[in-house]
Amino acid sequence: MRIARVIGSAVSTIKVDSLRGSKLLIVSNATVDDELYGEPYVAADAIGAGEGELVLVAEGSAGRHTDLTAGAPVDAVIFAILDSLEADGRTTFRKS
Amino acid sequence: MRIARVIGSAVSTIKVDSLRGSKLLIVSNATVDDELYGEPYVAADAIGAGEGELVLVAEGSAGRHTDLTAGAPVDAVIFAILDSLEADGRTTFRKS
Amino acid sequence: MRIARVIGSAVSTIKVDSLRGSKLLIVSNATVDDELYGEPYVAADAIGAGEGELVLVAEGSAGRHTDLTAGAPVDAVIFAILDSLEADGRTTFRKS
Amino acid sequence: MRIARVIGSAVSTIKVDSLRGSKLLIVSNATVDDELYGEPYVAADAIGAGEGELVLVAEGSAGRHTDLTAGAPVDAVIFAILDSLEADGRTTFRKS
Amino acid sequence: MRIARVIGSAVSTIKVDSLRGSKLLIVSNATVDDELYGEPYVAADAIGAGEGELVLVAEGSAGRHTDLTAGAPVDAVIFAILDSLEADGRTTFRKS
């Protein structure tokens, strides 16, 4: 799963029915030190994440293993909001 | 899911039966600012997208979770036409 | 799905039973202008493609959604032979 | 499957119910000579791995083929702790 | 599927039960001319491949479509030993 930051959202009125009512957020992958890298992409939100929060994203078919995304064309889902990260013996991130 | 722009289409008469009648569009991934990047690829169209439109593409097995692509050898599907994108506190794209 | 050119074939006598009789072709991804890029890989052939033809390849679990590849350890299948490609308002490829 | 080293852990109180009680570890891919490469990511722990250990990670839907991760939005799982690696005719890693 | 060379093996005593008795080999992707590229990874062996042999590897969920890997956290399986490769009109590899 990827560490990612929520940086925005996507709005669409013409979409498949299985995603009506779903919140589609724009996320960017992040390092353990909370530095963004790579091109942003879109993930379905399964836990009520807000802009600016550091989250975990599950990709591929894992994206459909939540109540909100089952059966929909989803290949990335936000399934956790991060409280803290520990790496190499130190706290690299703590939610403020 | 990837932000992508429809840049063309692919025509094929010899193909598996499960894709007869499917529209196969050529798309290029795009940044939140609607700049294209990477090599174009082909996605099945599940919502009637047109050339030039900014869309969302679901990859992998997610590509088969629409009525039009279920059971077919599809690894990428256009499932939404984008109205707008918000990122880093500003509107980075709005459909004209 | 990827635009790819068939550039050769792989021969193997020791392989899993589910792939006995399958044709395993070597393909290289191609741009919309039919220029090859990336390292060649092997795809199962579900439609009788020939060397030199431009084809479409479905990757991942999509590779097993044809009659010939169902249930086999296949992660890439040729499912269409391309007649033509249109991109950016022009015909970039036409089968000769 | 990837050779990886456990370098830390992720803490989250707001997450999907299917991952309550799961241990989410931060791992970095490693070469056969135990040198780290690429950006660290998060994997579910199915075998009780500890920080600093060299492990094997299965990605994609394989991540849900353990008792602890079945049905959860998991795309990477630690399924083995490595004792040793042999490559190019020599022992490149041995657990101390 | 990827052309790959078996370059070694991984030994693990602490692992999930579904992989007890499985042979986990270290492989490196190879070009059609049998030159190695990329970082080595681990694949389950479904056909009795030996070190030094050129093989085909199926990745992702395809890795579990053999008798030996069904139901296990496997995302890469060796399913064929290569006899020869033909590319661009010449024999680029022949098993000695």
Side-chain angles (χ1 to χ4, degrees), chain B:
Chain B
M1 290 77 84
R2 290 287 166 184
I3 300 163
R5 180 172 286 279
V6 180
I7 65 165
S9 59
V11 177
S12 167
T13 43
I14 301 177
K15 58 182 167 186
V16 292
D17 287 339
S18 55
L19 282 170
R20 299 249 153 258
S22 292
K23 201 161 56 161
L24 297 174
L25 298 179
I26 301 174
V27 297
S28 171
N29 285 337
T31 67
V32 293
D33 292 303
D34 191 17
E35 288 172 12
L36 308 187
Y37 68 91
E39 282 301 336
Y41 54 97
V42 172
D45 178 22
I47 42 154
E51 194 162 335
E53 285 188 303
L54 207 62
V55 298
L56 290 178
V57 174
E59 295 179 286
S61 54
R64 294 188 298 284
H65 280 73
T66 74
D67 293 344
L68 282 95
T69 57
V74 166
D75 64 13
V77 71
I78 300 169
F79 69 93
I81 297 173
L82 285 166
D83 296 325
S84 63
L85 295 171
E86 308 275 331
D88 301 322
R90 64 192 174 89
T91 300
T92 59
F93 167 78
R94 187 175 300 277
K95 191 179 175 178
S96 55

Side-chain angles (χ1 to χ4, degrees), chain D residues 1-3 30-32 37 46-47 56-62 65-66 77 79-89 95, chain E residues 7-16 18-19 24 26 39-44 51 59-61 64 71-76:
Chain D
M1 291 77 82
R2 291 286 166 185
I3 301 163
T31 66
V32 292
Y37 68 92
I47 42 154
L56 290 178
V57 174
E59 295 179 288
S61 54
H65 280 73
T66 74
V77 71
F79 69 92
I81 297 174
L82 285 167
D83 296 325
S84 63
L85 295 171
E86 308 274 331
D88 301 322
K95 191 179 175 178
Chain E
I7 64 164
S9 58
V11 177
S12 166
T13 43
I14 301 177
K15 59 182 166 185
V16 292
S18 55
L19 283 170
L24 297 175
I26 302 174
E39 282 301 336
Y41 54 97
V42 172
E51 195 163 335
E59 295 180 287
S61 54
R64 294 188 299 283
V74 167
D75 63 14

Side-chain angles (χ1 to χ4, degrees), chain E:
Chain E
M1 291 78 82
R2 290 287 166 183
I3 301 163
R5 180 173 286 278
V6 180
I7 64 164
S9 58
V11 177
S12 166
T13 43
I14 301 177
K15 59 182 166 185
V16 292
D17 287 340
S18 55
L19 283 170
R20 298 249 151 259
S22 292
K23 200 161 58 161
L24 297 175
L25 298 179
I26 302 174
V27 297
S28 170
N29 285 337
T31 67
V32 292
D33 292 301
D34 192 17
E35 287 173 11
L36 307 187
Y37 69 91
E39 282 301 336
Y41 54 97
V42 172
D45 178 22
I47 42 153
E51 195 163 335
E53 285 187 304
L54 207 61
V55 297
L56 290 178
V57 174
E59 295 180 287
S61 54
R64 294 188 299 283
H65 280 73
T66 74
D67 293 343
L68 282 94
T69 57
V74 167
D75 63 14
V77 71
I78 300 169
F79 69 93
I81 297 174
L82 285 167
D83 296 324
S84 63
L85 295 171
E86 308 274 331
D88 300 322
R90 64 193 174 88
T91 300
T92 59
F93 168 78
R94 187 175 301 278
K95 191 179 176 179
S96 54

Side-chain angles (χ1 to χ4, degrees), chain A residues 21-33:
Chain A
S22 292
K23 201 163 56 162
L24 297 174
L25 299 179
I26 302 174
V27 297
S28 171
N29 285 336
T31 67
V32 292
D33 292 302

Side-chain angles (χ1 to χ4, degrees), chain B residues 7-16 18-19 24 26 39-44 51 59-61 64 71-76, chain C residues 1-3 30-32 37 46-47 56-62 65-66 77 79-89 95:
Chain B
I7 65 165
S9 59
V11 177
S12 167
T13 43
I14 301 177
K15 58 182 167 186
V16 292
S18 55
L19 282 170
L24 297 174
I26 301 174
E39 282 301 336
Y41 54 97
V42 172
E51 194 162 335
E59 295 179 286
S61 54
R64 294 188 298 284
V74 166
D75 64 13
Chain C
M1 290 78 83
R2 290 287 166 184
I3 301 163
T31 66
V32 292
Y37 69 92
I47 42 153
L56 290 178
V57 174
E59 295 179 287
S61 53
H65 280 73
T66 75
V77 71
F79 68 93
I81 297 174
L82 286 167
D83 296 325
S84 63
L85 295 171
E86 309 275 330
D88 301 322
K95 191 179 175 178

